[in-house]
Amino acid sequence: MRRLITGTVFLLFSTFSLKAQYINTDSLVVIPGFEMPFTLAGYDSLRFASPETEILPGQILYQSHISTGKLLSGFFLPSNGKVISRFGPRNGRMHSGTDIKMNRGDTIFAAFSGKVTRAKYHYGYGNMVAVDHGNSLETSYSHLSDFLVDVDDFVEKGQPVGLAGSTGRATTNHLHFEIREGNKPFDPELVFDFENAVVRKEVAKKYNLTELSRDQIITGYSVNESVPEKYIVRSGDSLWNISRRYRTTVNSLCLLNGLKENSVLQPGMVLKIYEENLNKF
């Protein structure tokens, strides 16, 4: 009888009290009701995402933050190919992403896990998919020929989200890829080496895009100088050398600042480098 009581108590404790069973303390956790085991970091993240409620078996959870550790280390290349237009000012306006040459119908992949917030035609972007990854991090994939996801879908990194095309303002089949933090666009080439189809190794050392951009430490990347919206003229500056430095044109600088090509710049003058056009996708 004593053994029977002991066995019954143990069974009840196991069924109702146990939150997670560690099957390998270095890697995985089994949570009752879930088919797949979780990493320890993933389990901690689930607990953090819902600290005051029970994790329901089979529940699909959208985390409001990306799991602990170096935040950027989990990026996945959305596509690879030749860069045909870089991030930065272009003809007096801000080109807030990177254009990658693609063939029509090529598969485009999610760069990080997250929730789809847009999957429809969006002005000059054409057919666009936007994904919210939490932690103020968002990515978008534009000029698609077709969608492979719907709004409110939860996608895993590396999951197909669309097919390349030339919808919207596009003269050739390509992917216009944007990555934003707090709705501020950052240069995708700080994160990805598209032509060699790799995530830059320095990315894994950083917690966010602001830190990555500030440090500017990527070896061999020659166009990583931050582009300010406005520039303070220094002694010896000319419209020509400013335009060369920030990859714009003298004509664009003149139009933005009410100048002529032969205007003399005075130290301390404030010039607009580009016209900000940062509509939230």
Side-chain angles (χ1 to χ4, degrees):
M1 176 65 71
R2 182 175 180 180
R3 289 184 179 180
L4 178 61
I5 294 173
T6 301
T8 302
V9 170
F10 177 81
L11 178 62
L12 290 173
F13 177 82
S14 300
T15 303
F16 297 107
S17 301
L18 193 60
K19 293 295 189 299
Q21 174 190 358
Y22 288 76
I23 61 172
N24 181 334
T25 55
D26 294 327
S27 56
L28 299 177
V29 177
V30 171
I31 300 177
F34 289 82
E35 293 184 4
M36 299 298 292
F38 288 78
T39 64
L40 296 182
Y43 176 58
D44 288 341
S45 296
L46 290 174
R47 294 172 60 200
F48 179 87
S50 185
E52 297 177 357
T53 60
E54 193 72 22
I55 299 173
L56 302 178
Q59 179 183 7
I60 298 176
L61 294 174
Y62 171 61
Q63 296 173 219
S64 60
H65 79 301
I66 296 171
S67 57
T68 56
K70 299 293 186 181
L71 186 154
L72 303 187
S73 61
F75 271 113
F76 185 92
L77 192 78
S79 68
N80 65 286
K82 180 177 176 60
V83 175
I84 57 175
S85 185
R86 289 195 151 94
F87 176 92
R90 186 172 68 181
N91 299 324
R93 302 186 75 83
M94 186 64 176
H95 185 236
S96 51
T98 299
D99 291 348
I100 312 300
K101 184 71 178 77
M102 307 287 291
N103 293 317
R104 181 178 176 84
D106 284 351
T107 304
I108 307 301
F109 304 95
F112 219 118
S113 302
K115 185 177 182 180
V116 177
T117 56
R118 181 184 295 274
K120 65 178 182 179
Y121 193 93
H122 186 55
Y123 306 110
Y125 287 98
N127 292 333
M128 173 207 270
V129 168
V131 181
D132 179 2
H133 307 289
N135 223 44
S136 299
L137 188 68
E138 301 170 285
T139 55
S140 69
Y141 316 79
S142 301
H143 304 307
L144 304 176
S145 63
D146 203 359
F147 302 104
L148 298 179
V149 293
D150 295 314
V151 172
D152 292 332
D153 283 355
F154 184 86
V155 296
E156 298 292 343
K157 70 175 182 180
Q159 179 178 330
V161 295
L163 303 178
S166 58
T167 55
R169 286 198 304 269
T171 57
T172 186
N173 292 307
H174 72 281
L175 168 67
H176 174 81
F177 175 71
E178 294 191 16
I179 180 169
R180 299 186 181 217
E181 189 174 81
N183 199 37
K184 177 183 177 182
F186 286 82
D187 188 347
E189 287 189 85
L190 290 173
V191 177
F192 301 102
D193 179 348
F194 291 99
E195 296 188 28
N196 291 309
V198 296
V199 177
R200 298 186 187 277
K201 61 182 181 180
E202 291 83 359
V203 171
K205 304 174 184 177
K206 301 301 173 185
Y207 287 96
N208 53 53
L209 294 171
T210 301
E211 180 183 348
L212 178 65
S213 180
R214 182 183 64 240
D215 290 355
Q216 304 279 331
I217 63 170
I218 297 178
T219 304
Y221 178 46
S222 61
V223 268
N224 62 355
E225 182 176 3
S226 297
V227 179
E229 184 184 358
K230 295 180 180 180
Y231 175 77
I232 300 175
V233 175
R234 294 175 288 191
S235 178
D237 277 339
S238 68
L239 290 172
W240 184 84
N241 63 31
I242 294 173
S243 69
R244 292 278 291 178
R245 179 181 302 168
Y246 295 117
R247 291 171 283 153
T248 185
T249 65
V250 171
N251 184 56
S252 294
L253 291 175
C254 289
L255 290 174
L256 286 170
N257 296 282
L259 300 173
K260 297 180 179 180
E261 291 189 11
N262 59 356
S263 295
V264 177
L265 302 182
Q266 300 295 329
M269 287 177 62
V270 178
L271 298 182
K272 291 186 70 174
I273 301 300
Y274 61 86
E275 184 175 42
E276 192 164 19
N277 181 27
L278 304 181
N279 293 327
K280 182 176 177 65
F281 36 76

